[in-house]
Amino acid sequence: MASTNQILTITEARLRTSRILPRALYEYIEGGSEDETTLAGNESAFRSLTLRPRMGVDVEPNLATTVLGSPVAMPLLLAPAGMVQLVHPDGAVGVARAADAAGTIAVLSRTAMCPPEEVARRSHGPHWFQITSTGGRDVVKRLIARAADAGFTGLVVTLDGPPAGNREADLRNRVAPPARITTGLVARFAAQALTRPRWTVRTLAAARSQRAAMSGTMQTLSSGAMRTSARFTWADIEWLKSEWPGQLLVKGVLTGADAIAARNAGADAIIVSNHGGRALDGVPATIAVLPEIVAAVGKSSEVLVDGGIRRASSVAKALCLGARAVLIGRPFLYGLACAGQAGVERILEIFRAELVRTMKLLGCPDVAALDGRWLWLQPATTCSPLCPNQT
Ligand SMILES: Cc1cc2nc3c(=O)[nH]c(=O)nc-3n(C[C@H](O)[C@H](O)[C@H](O)COP(=O)(O)O)c2cc1C
């Protein structure tokens, strides 16, 4: 296997991933819902923002910050993602360990195919767990109690499903989060697996070794998954706040009014997200709605954002518009597919190194100093209303 150091960009990691994974699994990661308008918009909206650097200063930038009081070495976290165990046997534990190594936080998805106890036992944390309403309050209550007992401190409540977005490639490929890896599951990818020997060998080995270890443990995680369920309401968020002993983040907010409602229901932080363009197609790019949400909640809640972040310059732009930190989804999955935990570490190192360079070229000494004054909006020659105090 090629050294992870040979991966220089997220785009390269994506290309390698397309050669390693069976097509159906690659399409599960890569795809968005329906016409993928929102998916495309997430990335292109970052491109339409332009940075406003200062000359005549030489800085050694500080990237460290806190998110809900937890120190992180850089303002970039790993978003929850389902089926990571199928992407690489290092799975959710490998992702959590990579986050440990980079001094950041990985959010464990309910459908990551790995129990919270396992992640807590084999990585340092801080650990955050993600939940959907699927299965109803009884199932949710059991799940979050397990996560809390395992030492998870943050609960990320995903609001933008069920139902899942209309991802037609997944429907065609019959891909949906399973409870655990089985040889039968690998066989379902059989035709494609023949042309993806590296993935097939490592996944079959994982299927054999996990059969004993994982059976049973995962059943509660996905029980109820086959039943459709109602979406979380603000009343459910209040209920979750009373049940969960740690901090509560809501994910999937796209308007200022909903951010206020979430805060009033007890959310400690808001994650501006459109599920990476995988939920409702046609909603705006997250970076486009971030300013509305930051303006709505002011300093009363931390605001995080995800969707379409493939370069550290996008991280800087999000912070300029008021995000406390960002999350990445697909980029770390590419790293995982390429080289397991080491691949995720490589992706995080690419972002870290790019962010240092971006901050130096901006002439900005600290991520905490990034605000609207470091941005122009289109057209690049016009000062934006976001930066009235530009000097
Ligand atoms: C393969 C995949 C699986 C995902 N699974 C979940 C999930 O289980 N729960 C959730 O809240 N979001 C899930 N997401 C959405 C991510 O948490 C995140 O919002 C999104 O990936 C960010 O966009 P990006 O991929 O462009 O960085 C998933 C995303 C992908 C790509």
Side-chain angles (χ1 to χ4, degrees):
M1 182 177 44
S3 157
T4 54
N5 289 335
Q6 290 173 2
I7 301 173
L8 294 183
T9 66
I10 307 308
T11 305
E12 282 174 23
R14 185 182 64 193
L15 189 63
R16 284 172 187 238
T17 300
S18 71
R19 295 182 187 135
I20 291 170
L21 296 184
R23 184 180 46 77
L25 192 50
Y26 176 70
E27 288 182 359
Y28 166 71
I29 292 176
E30 196 59 9
S33 50
E34 298 191 347
D35 300 322
E36 303 189 334
T37 320
T38 298
L39 174 67
N42 276 347
E43 272 190 67
S44 65
F46 275 108
R47 272 183 233 120
S48 67
L49 291 169
T50 47
L51 292 164
R52 187 170 194 266
R54 312 278 151 79
M55 300 302 141
V57 283
D58 184 33
V59 295
E60 278 307 323
N62 171 50
L63 305 187
T65 183
T66 60
V67 180
L68 287 176
S70 293
V72 284
M74 62 177 160
L76 183 140
L77 285 69
L78 303 181
M83 305 215 326
V84 292
Q85 215 69 34
L86 204 53
V87 175
H88 191 283
D90 285 0
V93 170
V95 173
R97 286 182 166 178
D100 285 347
T104 188
I105 299 171
V107 185
L108 176 68
S109 164
R110 169 185 179 159
T111 55
M113 308 169 75
C114 184
E117 295 86 353
E118 174 94 356
V119 171
R121 194 170 55 78
R122 296 177 57 199
S123 64
H124 296 299
H127 296 113
W128 290 3
F129 187 62
Q130 175 266 337
I131 193 82
T132 53
S133 60
T134 309
R137 281 196 183 187
D138 288 348
V139 171
V140 168
K141 187 172 174 164
R142 278 204 303 279
L143 282 177
I144 65 173
R146 277 178 58 180
D149 288 347
F152 280 63
T153 55
L155 182 67
V156 173
V157 183
T158 298
L159 297 177
D160 53 12
N166 188 18
R167 295 200 302 276
E168 287 152 5
D170 291 352
L171 293 176
R172 204 171 299 113
N173 297 326
R174 293 189 302 123
V175 173
R180 64 193 175 93
I181 300 170
T182 59
T183 40
L185 183 71
V186 180
R188 256 185 35 211
F189 293 127
Q192 300 159 20
L194 290 177
T195 59
R196 298 290 187 271
R198 195 200 306 179
W199 177 87
T200 306
V201 168
R202 75 190 187 197
T203 308
L204 279 173
R208 275 193 293 274
S209 68
Q210 282 178 20
R211 196 173 300 142
M214 302 282 262
S215 72
T217 346
M218 289 304 298
Q219 295 310 318
T220 24
L221 281 182
S222 52
S223 69
M226 295 305 134
R227 283 174 260 142
T228 54
S229 73
R231 303 175 74 174
F232 280 134
T233 62
W234 299 127
D236 292 316
I237 302 300
E238 284 174 23
W239 169 74
L240 282 165
K241 182 69 180 173
S242 69
E243 292 285 333
W244 178 254
Q247 287 159 320
L248 197 84
L249 303 91
V250 293
K251 175 173 183 279
V253 169
L254 291 173
T255 66
D258 280 353
I260 291 170
R263 183 198 58 194
N264 293 345
D268 299 295
I270 312 289
I271 304 179
V272 180
S273 176
N274 53 34
H275 220 107
R278 298 163 74 82
L280 178 62
D281 193 31
V283 299
T286 47
I287 196 67
V289 297
L290 176 66
E292 174 184 327
I293 289 150
V294 170
V297 296
K299 295 206 180 310
S300 64
S301 307
E302 292 186 4
V303 179
L304 285 73
V305 65
D306 72 17
I309 293 163
R310 305 291 180 265
R311 289 280 185 190
S313 56
S314 299
V315 180
K317 289 171 182 176
L319 268 60
C320 288
L321 292 177
R324 183 81 191 176
V326 306
L327 300 96
I328 53 165
R330 293 179 183 84
F332 87 78
L333 293 170
Y334 303 147
L336 188 67
C338 290
Q341 178 184 335
V344 182
E345 287 177 12
R346 177 68 191 146
I347 296 298
L348 288 168
E349 174 52 21
I350 290 171
F351 273 106
R352 192 202 62 78
E354 273 188 20
L355 191 53
V356 169
R357 188 185 298 263
T358 298
M359 296 291 287
K360 283 182 177 231
L361 288 170
L362 272 176
C364 183
D366 198 309
V367 289
L370 289 169
D371 61 18
R373 289 172 294 182
W374 299 88
L375 275 188
W376 270 301
L377 287 191
Q378 294 281 46
T381 48
T382 312
C383 176
S384 103
L386 288 164
C387 45
N389 303 323
Q390 287 178 348
T391 50

